[in-house]
Amino acid sequence: MRILHISQNSLAFDQKHAPLASSETLREDLRYYFMSPCEKYRARRQLPWKLAVQILKIVMITTQLVLFGLSNQLVVAYKEENLMAFKNLFLKSYSGVDEDDYSVAVYTKQSVIDNIFYVLDQYSQLDQLSVGPVSYAEENRRLLPLVICKESYRPGRVESSDELLRLLVFLVNYRLVNVEISFTLKGINLQTISSHEPPDCYMFAVTITFDNQCHSGKVKITLDLDAVSSACKNWKISGTAQKNTHYLLIFDGFIILVCLTSAVLCIRSIVLAIKLLQRFSKFCLKKYNRKVCEDDQREFLNGWYVLVIISDVMAIIGSVLKMEIQAKSMTSYDVCSIFLGTSTLMVWVGVIRYLGYFQKYNVLILTMQAALPKVLRFCCCAGMIYLGYTFCGWIVLGPYHEKFEGLSRVAECLFSLVNGDDMFPTFAEFQQKNTLVWLFSRVYLYTFISLFVYMVLSLFIALITDAYETIKVPTQHA
């Protein structure tokens, strides 16, 4: 009877050759280490603490993510609505629809001057025009100034009695590169008042750019908004103000405690596994003068524990950032969402580990383990061809098709073609101004689609199917 059989190439030894005291203890420890939580409970009546902590962590982290997402949506919507409001306030003839890289375009000098005057007039009448709680920003009880910056190749000379008109005419000439108008406004988000929570105060850094870098006769006007929130001072709200915030802070603190507990239990399991591996290696080396093979050594080092520890660290960092945001000490919504979202993803992926203890549910894990090395090698080879098509499409087809204007856009366009998206629009939108380039585009697209859709993608699926067929037979007989 074999005492240990970890993998197909594992080191096995017979019971009759092993000393009773050391071999029996080691054998029991090895068996216990590779048991599922249910088997450990039946064997030693040990409660599956790690499993219970992971289930509790999944529920709590998911709830935290949902609550943060709902509040974050309100903040994002508030910023987007303010951006739209400012565009309608400060951009003359704004239609409500933006192009890819600008909001309004003008084509004459007079139109540029009129739009600059329009921004200045609207800014001076902001208190009478805006229906929202927006006003001029102050610093040390002084209004922050409006700043006009220009960039041109060479200064010109214009004689006029009106200084402002002289400045504007000086700005608007054929040497003009761009004009930038920047100012700061303050606003208050009153959406939280209905839930008896303190409101958020915002500082809006508005930048309006008149872009003439192309010198094509088309001046693009864009409005950029950078919003920074902070706690409003000297605000008092009657009722149960800030109770919800206190409850959320307590909930986040409890999540940090649970994640710390989970990380400690996983680190403890890794340490015990290393010690067990050392015992097993010493036993085999001393009694049989043989070393444990690398495949068996990897069986002791459980990668799921590393995944759980990383997710715990990211959840703790995300929870701390979320508490700081709720306390109005910081406004890094994007950074916080990255940590919380990634930790939640890893936590849910970690659940697959427990499904792996059941043979009928272990097909996905075994298929991924068997196919991953071959798939990675295959992707490296296919990636070289993909990069070649990416660079070629960018340099040749970029001037004639918007989907090929940048390297990232080319890569995204080709990836969508591999998945069967936007095939006909990609063909149809090519400009036929240059017959040679148009013919090249046809050869380029036909060869890429034929190669990647019919060959590369089929081989990719075949590798995964082959791995599935390999593990399917022993799974069915189990």
Side-chain angles (χ1 to χ4, degrees), residues 109 150-157 170-178 212 215:
K109 294 181 180 180
K150 66 95 181 180
E151 181 181 354
S152 60
Y153 289 115
R154 184 185 300 173
R157 296 181 179 179
F170 166 68
L171 290 173
V172 184
N173 54 54
Y174 69 92
R175 304 184 184 94
L176 174 68
V177 177
N178 63 59
N212 190 39
H215 291 86

Side-chain angles (χ1 to χ4, degrees), residues 24-201:
E24 287 293 334
T25 304
L26 180 60
R27 183 177 65 178
E28 291 300 323
D29 291 342
L30 289 171
R31 283 180 174 177
Y32 185 75
Y33 176 76
F34 291 103
M35 286 180 180
S36 67
C38 297
E39 292 173 342
K40 290 180 180 179
Y41 178 76
R42 289 193 294 265
R44 298 185 182 180
R45 295 297 176 183
Q46 179 179 348
L47 295 177
W49 294 108
K50 289 195 293 293
L51 176 60
V53 171
Q54 296 305 316
I55 294 175
L56 177 62
K57 189 174 70 173
I58 288 174
V59 175
M60 297 185 67
I61 288 182
T62 305
T63 304
Q64 180 192 45
L65 183 72
V66 172
L67 295 176
F68 179 76
L70 294 175
S71 61
N72 193 20
Q73 285 180 354
L74 294 176
V75 174
V76 172
Y78 177 74
K79 292 181 180 179
E80 291 180 351
E81 290 174 0
N82 274 277
L83 177 60
M84 181 61 65
F86 290 155
K87 287 182 178 180
N88 281 276
L89 276 175
F90 298 109
L91 300 184
K92 187 178 181 181
S93 303
Y94 178 63
S95 62
V97 179
D98 289 346
E99 296 292 337
D100 292 336
D101 55 352
Y102 64 93
S103 299
V104 178
V106 293
Y107 302 90
T108 64
K109 294 181 180 180
Q110 188 61 43
S111 296
V112 175
I113 295 175
D114 291 344
N115 276 270
I116 294 177
F117 267 119
Y118 185 82
V119 173
L120 300 178
D121 291 340
Q122 295 293 99
Y123 178 80
S124 63
Q125 306 177 55
L126 180 64
D127 291 337
Q128 291 77 28
L129 295 176
S130 177
V131 296
V134 180
S135 60
Y136 304 106
E138 299 178 355
E139 184 177 357
N140 298 327
R141 296 183 178 181
R142 298 182 61 181
L143 294 179
L144 294 178
L146 180 146
V147 180
I148 303 178
C149 296
K150 66 95 181 180
E151 181 181 354
S152 60
Y153 289 115
R154 184 185 300 173
R157 296 181 179 179
V158 176
E159 297 181 0
S160 175
S161 58
D162 190 338
E163 294 183 359
L164 180 58
L165 180 59
R166 186 170 65 251
L167 171 64
L168 295 178
V169 173
F170 166 68
L171 290 173
V172 184
N173 54 54
Y174 69 92
R175 304 184 184 94
L176 174 68
V177 177
N178 63 59
V179 176
E180 186 177 278
I181 303 176
S182 59
F183 51 88
T184 305
L185 303 175
K186 64 179 180 180
I188 302 173
N189 185 4
L190 300 176
Q191 296 181 84
T192 57
I193 296 294
S194 58
S195 57
H196 301 286
E197 294 182 9
D200 295 328
C201 286

Side-chain angles (χ1 to χ4, degrees), residues 123-399:
Y123 178 80
S124 63
Q125 306 177 55
L126 180 64
D127 291 337
Q128 291 77 28
L129 295 176
S130 177
V131 296
V134 180
S135 60
Y136 304 106
E138 299 178 355
E139 184 177 357
N140 298 327
R141 296 183 178 181
R142 298 182 61 181
L143 294 179
L144 294 178
L146 180 146
V147 180
I148 303 178
C149 296
K150 66 95 181 180
E151 181 181 354
S152 60
Y153 289 115
R154 184 185 300 173
R157 296 181 179 179
V158 176
E159 297 181 0
S160 175
S161 58
D162 190 338
E163 294 183 359
L164 180 58
L165 180 59
R166 186 170 65 251
L167 171 64
L168 295 178
V169 173
F170 166 68
L171 290 173
V172 184
N173 54 54
Y174 69 92
R175 304 184 184 94
L176 174 68
V177 177
N178 63 59
V179 176
E180 186 177 278
I181 303 176
S182 59
F183 51 88
T184 305
L185 303 175
K186 64 179 180 180
I188 302 173
N189 185 4
L190 300 176
Q191 296 181 84
T192 57
I193 296 294
S194 58
S195 57
H196 301 286
E197 294 182 9
D200 295 328
C201 286
Y202 283 84
M203 296 290 288
F204 299 109
V206 182
T207 302
I208 301 174
T209 304
F210 295 76
D211 186 4
N212 190 39
Q213 293 183 3
C214 293
H215 291 86
S216 60
K218 178 180 180 180
V219 178
K220 302 176 182 178
I221 305 176
T222 59
L223 188 148
D224 295 324
L225 179 66
D226 186 16
V228 179
S229 66
S230 61
C232 295
K233 300 179 180 179
N234 301 324
W235 275 73
K236 294 182 180 180
I237 305 174
S238 60
T240 57
Q242 299 189 13
K243 283 188 176 181
N244 295 336
T245 303
H246 292 162
Y247 291 147
L248 290 176
L249 292 175
I250 295 173
F251 180 69
D252 293 334
F254 190 61
I255 290 177
I256 294 176
L257 180 62
V258 172
C259 291
L260 286 174
T261 304
S262 173
V264 170
L265 291 175
C266 291
I267 293 174
R268 174 178 172 273
S269 298
I270 292 176
V271 173
L272 293 177
I274 294 174
K275 291 182 178 180
L276 183 59
L277 174 60
Q278 293 174 349
R279 288 175 55 197
F280 180 61
S281 300
K282 290 180 180 178
F283 181 84
C284 294
L285 186 62
K286 181 178 180 181
K287 298 299 180 181
Y288 301 98
N289 196 25
R290 297 180 62 180
K291 293 183 179 180
V292 181
C293 62
E294 294 182 358
D295 291 337
D296 287 344
Q297 293 181 9
R298 284 193 291 266
E299 293 290 337
F300 286 89
L301 303 178
N302 197 328
W304 292 109
Y305 291 147
V306 179
L307 179 68
V308 172
I309 293 173
I310 295 175
S311 67
D312 290 334
V313 173
M314 299 193 73
I316 292 173
I317 296 175
S319 299
V320 172
L321 294 177
K322 181 173 178 290
M323 296 171 71
E324 292 291 328
I325 291 174
Q326 291 173 349
K328 314 301 181 184
S329 300
M330 62 180 299
T331 58
S332 301
Y333 281 91
D334 295 335
V335 177
C336 181
S337 61
I338 290 174
F339 279 102
L340 292 181
T342 307
S343 64
T344 306
L345 170 63
M346 291 183 176
V347 167
W348 279 99
V349 171
V351 179
I352 302 178
R353 169 177 178 261
Y354 298 101
L355 295 178
Y357 290 117
F358 305 95
Q359 293 182 350
K360 294 183 178 180
Y361 296 92
N362 200 24
V363 177
L364 176 61
I365 299 177
L366 295 178
T367 303
M368 292 175 61
Q369 290 177 348
L372 186 60
K374 297 180 181 179
V375 168
L376 291 178
R377 289 192 292 268
F378 180 79
C379 289
C380 290
C381 297
M384 300 299 103
I385 305 175
Y386 190 87
L387 286 175
Y389 270 93
T390 300
F391 287 109
C392 178
W394 171 58
I395 196 64
V396 178
L397 307 178

